[in-house]
Amino acid sequence: MFTDSFWSLLPPIIAIALALITKEVYSSLFIGILVGGLLYSGFSFTGTIEHVFVDGMIGQLSDPWNIGILIFLVILGSIVMLINRAGGSAAFGKWASEHVKTKIGAQIATILLGMIIFIDDYFNCLTVGSVMRPVTDKHKISREKLAYLIDATAAPICIIAPISSWAAAVTGFVDGANGLTLFVRAIPYNFYAFLTIAMMFGLTLMNFDYGAMKVAEHNSRKASEKNKAKKEAASLTGAEDQPTPPVSIKGKVIHLILPIIALIICCIIGMIYTGGFFDGASFIDAFSGSDASVGLVYGSVAALIITIVFYVCTRVLSFTECMNALPEGFKSMVPAIMVLTFAWTLKSMTDSLGAATYVAGLVQNIADNSALMSFIPAIVFVVGAFLAFATGTSWGTFGILIPIVVNVFGGDLNNELMIISISACMAGAVCGDHCSPISDTTIMASAGAQCEHIYHVSTQLPYALTAAAVSLVAYVFAGFLKNWLICLPIGILLMLGTLFVIKNMKSPKNA
């Protein structure tokens, strides 16, 4: 009765609505999970308990991919804690304060760093956050704004980078066509990604904010230095029992830069290793066939060992101090791990109720109507955004929609409308992922910025919806014009024009 129908989307809708209303994410997610279990079991008490905890939570926590991501998180948290304890973050903050003079400069630096680290969105979120937090804090940029800049340079950048874990995921979902070729050809039509980048630069250079973000920025500027210092001290440890962790006075900028560089290089090597690069596969093929979860674990473990050896050899930390920092790094990631566990469990409830089948049927019915063919990209964008928002997963949305779109067009790479529709699917998935409070990438951005998760979601939502609205218009144009050289510039101009209008709108109170 409740499967393969709109009921399958009810659990995530309830969880998201409660999270936005109550500003409390753990109980909201659990209630959504519970509703999913009740619907699946036909309101049987024992069936609900078994489905929620055995099929759902235990099943998700025993999944190799998820375990790999959790291990990566814990190790990355430990590396970040080591960098903090070694004084690398403090040294970088001091260096940046001498070279990054303005608030605009700090935001531009954050955006550029996020664009450079395009290998993986999880890696991007936590690395950019740990590096740029001291800089943005100095310029009184709110943690909510930092979280937005991190989130907006994670998935939106990865989805237009041919060499990334996201490109590997997309190519794996394409049957009957060359996945990598299709991905590369779809890049110019990924309007949401490009318009999000344009929006970040536009907001920064125009020097304004709106909606909930404006309030967060105002509160950040008004916060006293005393309260800010207390917040920073607590956030560095992630544990209330050690509010003032020891920080080495010997730390230099190299004690932050070298671990980050080691992490990037080791993670790239780890990913191509899992793709068979050292067994003769080409670099591109190795990336396309890589297992990002395992590759990131390999890379982060290697980087952790390099970091410890480097710190001990330079005597910035003793071996004992390095070992003491590791469990504190684990503690700092506990909130993110909890939210991820609940989000994955909620997704399993949605999957078991047949959300994929329900959405696939909707898209197929639309595609069968020839009169709507030119609107297919716009429709796919909306469906993809809603599905990713409700389920909290971009990759799951790819897996559902991309095979449908390829099948509708017969895998014909010469059909430009298929390329546009594939790109619209990817853009919609990233958009929904960007908006959703149960998205793992959104959770990682909150963790990277050390920002309260639900505040990140509520401040980011107006920005993401603005970019989504302009992207939808661009996809309507693309469906008829079928030329990205015309549609992409139109979309960017519309985005900047929209920001200009919002900036110059005056409320009656201020008029």
Side-chain angles (χ1 to χ4, degrees), residues 349-371:
M349 297 296 105
T350 307
D351 290 343
S352 66
L353 288 169
T357 304
Y358 172 65
V359 173
L362 289 179
V363 176
Q364 190 65 53
N365 290 336
I366 294 170
D368 289 340
N369 189 335
S370 58

Side-chain angles (χ1 to χ4, degrees), residues 2 5-19 27-40 51 342 345-355 389-391 438:
F2 300 110
S5 66
F6 180 77
W7 290 101
S8 63
L9 298 176
L10 186 62
I13 290 174
I14 289 175
I16 291 168
L18 286 175
S27 61
S28 300
L29 287 173
F30 186 74
I31 290 172
I33 292 167
L34 194 60
V35 170
L38 287 168
L39 293 176
Y40 181 83
H51 188 57
F342 281 144
T345 305
L346 181 60
K347 178 184 176 298
S348 73
M349 297 296 105
T350 307
D351 290 343
S352 66
L353 288 169
F389 180 80
T391 60
I438 61 175

Side-chain angles (χ1 to χ4, degrees), residues 292-307:
S293 176
V294 176
L296 290 174
V297 170
Y298 290 160
S300 58
V301 169
L304 177 62
I305 294 171
I306 291 171
T307 300

Side-chain angles (χ1 to χ4, degrees), residues 228-258:
K228 180 181 172 184
K230 287 172 66 179
K231 179 180 179 182
E232 177 65 16
S235 67
L236 283 176
T237 62
E240 296 302 323
D241 58 342
Q242 292 194 23
T244 53
V247 176
S248 174
I249 60 174
K250 302 176 184 178
K252 298 179 181 178
V253 175
I254 188 63
H255 292 108
L256 179 139
I257 299 298
L258 190 140

Side-chain angles (χ1 to χ4, degrees), residues 114-115 117-121 124 151-171 173 180 182-197 394-395 397-398 402 422-431 433-434 441 475:
M115 294 175 69
I117 304 176
F118 54 79
I119 299 300
D120 182 77
D121 53 329
N124 177 301
D151 209 346
T153 54
I157 296 297
C158 291
I159 200 62
I160 55 174
I163 301 176
S164 70
S165 59
W166 286 56
V170 171
T171 56
F173 293 128
L180 190 59
L182 187 59
F183 181 88
V184 172
R185 287 190 58 189
I187 289 174
Y189 288 109
N190 203 312
F191 299 134
Y192 183 79
F194 287 108
L195 297 188
T196 297
I197 296 169
S394 291
W395 289 18
T397 303
F398 298 156
I402 288 179
I422 290 290
S423 191
C425 170
M426 293 189 287
V430 170
C431 173
D433 182 272
H434 205 188
T441 308
Y475 278 116

Side-chain angles (χ1 to χ4, degrees), residues 60-93:
Q60 290 300 308
L61 289 178
S62 60
D63 179 84
W65 173 276
N66 292 344
I67 287 295
I69 294 302
L70 293 182
I71 294 172
F72 172 65
L73 274 180
V74 169
I75 296 172
L76 206 53
S78 297
I79 292 175
V80 170
M81 186 58 62
L82 281 169
I83 292 172
N84 289 334
R85 294 285 179 89
S89 296
F92 179 79

